[in-house]
Amino acid sequence: MKEKTSIQPLSRRSFIRDCAATAALLQSSGLASFAAAETPFSDRVQPLDDGWSLRKQAELASSGGMGAASIRLPHAVVPLSWKNWDPASWQDVWVYRRQFSLPAAWRGQRLFLHFERVMAAATVSVNGHALPQHSGGFLPFEREITGLMHESNNLLEVVVDARWLNIPPAGSPRGPVAVDYLLPGGITGSVQLQALPNIFLREVFAKAMDVLSPDRRLEIICRTDAASSLPADVHLSATLRQGNRTVATVSKTQTINRQDQETTLTLGGLRDIELWSIDQPHLYSVDVTLSLEGKPLHRRSTRVGFREARFDVDGFYLNGKRTRIFGLNRHELYPYVGFAVPSRLLRRDAEILRRQFNCNMVRCSHYPQSEAFLDACDELGLMVWQEPPGWQYIGDESWQDLALGDVEAMVRRDRNHPAIVIWGVRINESRNDPALYQKTRALAKSLDGTRPTSGSMTPSSRNGWKTEWHQDVFAFDDYHADPVGSVGIDAPLPGVPYLITEAVGQFDYFAGKRFDLTYRRAGDVKVQTGQALFHAEAHDKAASFPRCAGLIAWCAFDYASLMNAWNTVKCPGVADVFRQPKLGAAFYLSQVDPAVRAVIEPSFYWDFDPAAAAGLSEHAAIFSNCERLELLIDGKSWATLHADRAGFPNLTYPPFFADFSSMKRDANQFPHLRIDGYVGSTRVLSRSFSSDRSRDQLSLLVDDRELNSSVSDATRLAFAAVDEFGAPRAFVTGEVTLHIEGPGEIVGDNPFQIGDNGGSGAVWVKPASGANGVIRIQAAHPVLGTKSVSIQVRASAVRRSSEDFPITAP
């Protein structure tokens, strides 16, 4: 059957986006003075992403001002290439400034600034009034600024401390080399101003209970924030909707006695609910309205999916059905921009993982990742492991207090996402610390008792698990060879749910050494061709243990690091930093029902150049979901291949192996390879490959043909050397030079040396703020020629949801 995705019109939004503002203008600070308005839930959110300026704090006095107000958020404090990142370039104290006015209709209301994330510490000032510092770069925070505003010309200043601070994941005395991902600073998310009534809904947690029972219900926990005039009797009403259909409603009158108070509404009798699953991720919206004296003051909306995700000693069960976890780890670092990534690119990662790499789960390593990414996971049926910032290091008491705060903020922000099925509450690969990890587990359970807890373990921490382990699911990072040349996967521990959270990575299975390989696209061909096989072996061996819940391998995409990296680019990904699949992705690409799409992916280059030909061996792997493959060379039958089910008995679609060792190789001959794939007697796919480099061409592909200039937006423009049939050609050198016309700009290296990335590369293209028109880009290579693409730019209405960046059709 074809993959199905259920995407509801109403998207889940973050706190600042979700809140609709007051039903009436607040005439005084008392609750009783609200009056009805014609549009009771009109928007009271003002984006503050445009018009920022930036200077180093130390340079402010001598620079004569802040400079041009031309920065649009999200933003990194320094320009970045795709390689050779230097932490010293951003490790400083920076000052962002912008001016803004307060809408007349907002006067007298409570005012808040909401920051999606700032790396790594931020001190916010409004009109010279400094507010408490926030520490931590991956989660949102807000500051109330009621009483600090003028009618116009308000000055907002954010002092960003991007140094190596005692803040997770940083803090180690060893400096940036101690963490296996780099941390470029900046205001790396959006900023909004919000006007709210004196009492409002701060949070809504829609908790699905007894999902598999006819008596399933939705417990809606409403957290109110009141400034004064307490006690107050408010009316809370909740509506569950699927699309435009009202499913159920409930209401309750509640006395608010405290400034911060929780009230629970229960929607029962939900018999005709469609469950959220990886194949059919049905989503519902929950709207909660707070009223006072019969007048609606505030409304919040969120999204919910009804599903039961359970880890047991004999595996993982989704909605009562045993499901093998098949996934990859993901870093959110991007070339050129670091963590300062527009929503479209973040959501695209979820599409790649679910629809291209066929994963059913992703581990967000090793920090909470963006809501835009999580929204897409909800919509696509991609399950998620979410964990707090950290990497092996556990700091002092102050550091650990911040880690606890990260766990709380992570759970509070993300607990409405049905895609999240487990909370990581340990610092990645850290030593056992029973006192700390009993606290993190208890904290997560107190905020959300519907999901189990876990945390990745290494052999040293695994040894003492019986007395020092305190989570619900035992998660192990398994890197060993068994024997040399073969991936090793240990059997699950007895009596506990068991999940493998990393494997393969950069382990040198050829020599049985830890972290001695780089799967760089421009690297050794033998290493490149082995990567997909190692991933296939790891998943096959993990599946051989009935009690193992599955495997989340290391990793999806290359990323910036100082550890075992090439020019600060670490290359364990099955795709490069630009999200372009390597040979190592061939295994993942093939793990899909051929009725959805037939796949033929060789794990070698059909190329007789000496640098590439090493992969054409007696054991050349071809990954496919077909039942048999017919190989033809220059139109003549070469071999009939069948999947190696004996060697990979636990894979749905095992690899095929071809023997090219007997081929005669003549420097003047350029044979053509065709691979035909059959299901039964039907040929479902045919792919051709050329070894004639004289026919190579330049490929130029853009992910999106339309961009929205009203919000921060960008798309990927990828270029590569390909053969005459479009198959990648490795080890091509030379510059690709880009020329752009129209209302947009290139973010990235131009010209780009494609030899550094094995014959390919990419940049981002972003529209000019508020522009309309057409961007035209021409790419040129001295040998491969030129190609052109165009992108439509429109200044659409400003929305703050996944509707801005819809999931594209498969």
Side-chain angles (χ1 to χ4, degrees):
M1 294 179 61
K2 188 174 182 180
E3 287 178 306
K4 295 182 179 179
T5 301
S6 176
I7 306 175
Q8 305 304 321
L10 181 58
S11 304
R12 181 186 186 276
R13 297 174 174 86
S14 63
F15 166 73
I16 202 69
R17 297 169 180 172
D18 281 345
C19 291
T22 59
L25 301 181
L26 181 58
Q27 303 299 327
S28 70
S29 61
L31 289 174
S33 60
F34 283 97
E38 291 182 5
T39 308
F41 304 117
S42 56
D43 199 4
R44 291 290 188 272
V45 174
Q46 178 176 316
L48 298 177
D49 287 347
D50 287 325
W52 292 85
S53 56
L54 176 68
R55 283 284 190 276
K56 286 184 179 180
Q57 188 179 58
E59 297 174 352
L60 276 177
S62 60
S63 66
M66 290 294 295
S70 59
I71 291 171
R72 170 176 261 192
L73 304 181
H75 182 258
V77 291
V78 293
L80 298 167
S81 175
W82 68 280
K83 54 185 173 65
N84 295 320
W85 289 10
D86 179 10
S89 68
W90 64 72
Q91 287 187 357
D92 212 318
V93 181
W94 305 78
V95 180
Y96 286 85
R97 284 180 183 166
R98 64 155 290 163
Q99 290 188 324
F100 65 100
S101 297
L102 180 67
W106 292 16
R107 297 169 193 165
Q109 299 183 56
R110 294 178 68 185
L111 301 173
F112 292 82
L113 289 170
H114 180 90
F115 295 81
E116 280 189 340
R117 53 186 184 181
V118 180
M119 183 67 71
T123 301
V124 179
S125 298
V126 175
N127 296 324
H129 299 275
L131 303 170
Q133 185 184 66
H134 172 78
S135 296
F138 293 99
L139 288 157
F141 68 96
E142 63 185 38
R143 293 290 181 262
E144 184 164 9
I145 58 171
T146 306
L148 303 181
M149 300 283 288
H150 309 314
E151 291 184 5
S152 61
N153 297 321
N154 292 283
L155 178 62
L156 172 59
E157 180 177 277
V158 183
V159 179
V160 175
D161 195 336
R163 295 173 295 180
W164 186 257
L165 305 172
N166 192 38
I167 296 172
S172 168
R174 296 172 55 211
V177 74
V179 173
D180 185 26
Y181 47 96
L182 290 175
L183 301 167
I187 302 181
T188 55
S190 290
V191 178
Q192 296 94 13
L193 172 68
Q194 184 180 20
L196 292 164
N198 207 24
I199 181 170
F200 66 92
L201 291 159
R202 175 167 291 279
E203 289 181 72
V204 170
F205 175 28
K207 183 166 61 172
M209 305 294 291
D210 295 327
V211 169
L212 302 186
S213 164
D215 298 322
R216 68 178 65 88
R217 64 190 186 280
L218 192 66
E219 294 183 359
I220 305 169
I221 301 170
C222 305
R223 184 181 173 199
T224 52
D225 183 313
S228 59
S229 300
L230 298 178
D233 291 331
V234 300
H235 186 76
L236 294 167
S237 61
T239 302
L240 178 68
R241 293 187 175 90
Q242 185 181 37
N244 295 321
R245 179 176 70 93
T246 297
V247 178
T249 61
V250 65
S251 62
K252 181 179 184 178
T253 298
Q254 178 70 41
T255 300
I256 304 299
N257 296 302
R258 302 185 303 277
Q259 289 184 341
D260 188 333
Q261 183 170 320
E262 287 188 351
T263 302
T264 300
L265 305 176
T266 301
L267 278 170
L270 305 177
R271 294 183 175 271
D272 297 325
I273 293 295
E274 294 181 288
L275 299 183
W276 185 96
S277 69
I278 58 178
D279 295 318
Q280 293 185 314
H282 296 289
L283 295 170
Y284 292 77
S285 62
V286 177
D287 299 331
V288 179
T289 302
L290 181 152
S291 301
L292 179 69
E293 297 179 351
K295 300 170 184 176
L297 296 185
H298 191 227
R299 182 172 63 194
R300 294 223 35 208
S301 298
T302 190
R303 241 174 19 184
V304 63
F306 292 83
R307 57 105 186 100
E308 182 193 74
R310 175 171 55 88
F311 288 82
D312 211 333
V313 292
D314 61 344
F316 171 72
Y317 291 82
L318 183 63
N319 299 330
K321 178 182 177 182
R322 193 177 189 281
T323 302
R324 178 156 55 95
I325 288 172
F326 179 81
L328 287 162
N329 285 255
R330 172 195 184 246
H331 269 297
E332 202 158 86
L333 275 169
Y334 287 70
Y336 312 127
V337 293
F339 292 109
V341 186
S343 293
R344 186 186 301 276
L345 302 183
L346 296 165
R347 291 172 60 81
R348 182 73 66 189
D349 271 11
E351 289 187 77
I352 293 170
L353 286 161
R354 184 74 185 105
R355 287 185 169 163
Q356 194 171 357
F357 294 166
N358 302 302
C359 294
N360 61 23
M361 190 166 181
V362 58
R363 179 179 173 213
C364 295
S365 53
H366 303 289
Y367 38 82
Q369 296 182 7
S370 63
E371 277 210 282
F373 176 74
L374 298 176
D375 283 341
C377 292
D378 288 341
E379 295 159 18
L380 288 163
L382 181 63
M383 298 184 294
V384 174
W385 161 307
Q386 185 80 304
E387 66 187 21
W391 199 83
Q392 296 187 350
Y393 174 77
I394 300 176
D396 57 16
E397 183 177 354
S398 172
W399 193 99
Q400 293 184 17
D401 286 344
L402 290 173
L404 282 164
D406 286 336
V407 170
E408 177 175 1
M410 173 183 75
V411 175
R412 284 192 181 277
R413 186 194 71 169
D414 295 338
R415 56 189 174 174
N416 281 315
H417 286 282
I420 296 177
V421 298
I422 192 167
W423 298 119
V425 296
R426 291 175 61 104
I427 300 303
N428 172 68
E429 296 182 344
S430 60
R431 60 178 170 83
N432 289 325
D433 188 323
L436 174 62
Y437 292 140
Q438 286 179 43
K439 290 179 184 177
T440 58
R441 179 184 185 274
L443 179 57
K445 291 290 188 182
S446 69
L447 296 168
D448 172 25
T450 68
R451 294 172 175 92
T453 63
S454 190
S456 64
M457 310 278 280
T458 60
S460 59
S461 56
R462 171 178 161 136
N463 291 339
W465 75 275
K466 285 190 176 181
T467 58
E468 296 185 333
W469 175 71
H470 296 281
Q471 284 74 57
D472 303 304
V473 178
F474 194 98
F476 185 53
D477 293 354
D478 198 342
Y479 293 104
H480 74 275
D482 184 27
V484 171
S486 174
V487 174
I489 297 293
D490 285 337
L493 293 173
V496 293
Y498 191 87
L499 175 65
I500 301 170
T501 38
E502 292 184 28
V504 185
Q506 284 182 291
F507 194 99
D508 188 349
Y509 294 100
F510 296 115
K513 297 179 182 178
R514 185 171 174 83
F515 303 134
D516 201 31
L517 283 183
T518 174
Y519 294 108
R520 183 176 161 228
R521 192 192 298 276
D524 187 291
V525 167
K526 179 183 177 184
V527 175
Q528 292 190 57
T529 58
Q531 187 184 21
L533 281 172
F534 292 149
H535 278 267
E537 273 193 64
H539 281 282
D540 180 75
K541 291 185 178 182
S544 71
F545 299 109
R547 288 190 44 251
C548 182
L551 184 147
I552 309 172
W554 191 262
C555 62
F557 312 118
D558 293 347
Y559 56 96
S561 173
L562 298 179
M563 290 187 176
N564 305 296
W566 172 85
N567 290 345
T568 72
V569 179
K570 192 164 184 175
C571 303
V574 299
D576 64 20
V577 291
F578 305 111
R579 281 57 182 163
Q580 299 177 113
K582 307 178 194 173
L583 294 183
F587 163 64
Y588 292 93
L589 295 168
S590 69
Q591 301 303 296
V592 61
D593 190 329
V596 175
R597 60 183 174 274
V599 177
I600 296 172
E601 288 291 336
S603 186
F604 55 80
Y605 300 111
W606 187 251
D607 192 337
F608 296 95
D609 181 272
L616 299 176
S617 66
E618 71 280 1
H619 201 62
I622 303 171
F623 289 87
S624 177
N625 52 6
C626 297
E627 292 177 1
R628 82 175 192 278
L629 302 178
E630 297 289 345
L631 274 60
L632 300 91
I633 296 179
D634 289 334
K636 297 179 181 179
S637 178
W638 175 266
T640 297
L641 306 181
H642 296 276
D644 184 8
R645 298 195 177 277
F648 298 83
N650 303 293
L651 295 182
T652 306
Y653 304 106
F656 298 71
F657 292 97
D659 183 357
F660 296 114
S661 61
S662 63
M663 273 190 60
K664 294 180 181 180
R665 302 183 185 182
D666 186 328
N668 298 313
Q669 298 297 317
F670 302 101
H672 163 277
L673 171 66
R674 194 178 91 200
I675 307 175
D676 294 339
Y678 288 82
V679 174
S681 60
T682 303
R683 187 174 71 176
V684 294
L685 181 62
S686 181
R687 291 196 63 190
S688 292
F689 306 85
S690 173
S691 61
D692 186 353
R693 286 193 166 216
S694 69
R695 295 177 176 270
D696 288 356
Q697 56 186 313
L698 181 66
S699 168
L700 185 66
L701 299 174
V702 64
D703 286 341
D704 303 276
R705 291 287 184 169
E706 184 172 320
L707 295 175
N708 183 359
S709 65
S710 295
V711 296
S712 181
D713 200 2
T715 190
R716 177 181 60 176
L717 180 74
F719 37 85
V722 297
D723 71 12
E724 60 183 295
F725 301 108
R729 178 75 76 202
F731 307 111
V732 176
T733 60
E735 289 185 347
V736 170
T737 303
L738 303 169
H739 176 72
I740 184 169
E741 295 179 348
E745 65 177 291
I746 290 168
V747 180
D749 293 357
N750 184 22
F752 188 103
Q753 296 285 347
I754 60 172
D756 289 343
N757 195 47
S760 68
V763 295
W764 315 126
V765 180
K766 72 175 186 179
S769 179
N772 291 282
V774 177
I775 299 172
R776 294 180 177 86
I777 304 168
Q778 182 184 77
H781 183 274
V783 176
L784 302 173
T786 64
K787 287 287 176 66
S788 299
V789 296
S790 61
I791 303 168
Q792 181 71 49
V793 174
R794 290 189 173 91
S796 304
V798 176
R799 293 170 291 174
R800 287 289 185 252
S801 75
S802 60
E803 295 170 18
D804 276 320
F805 312 107
I807 296 296
T808 56

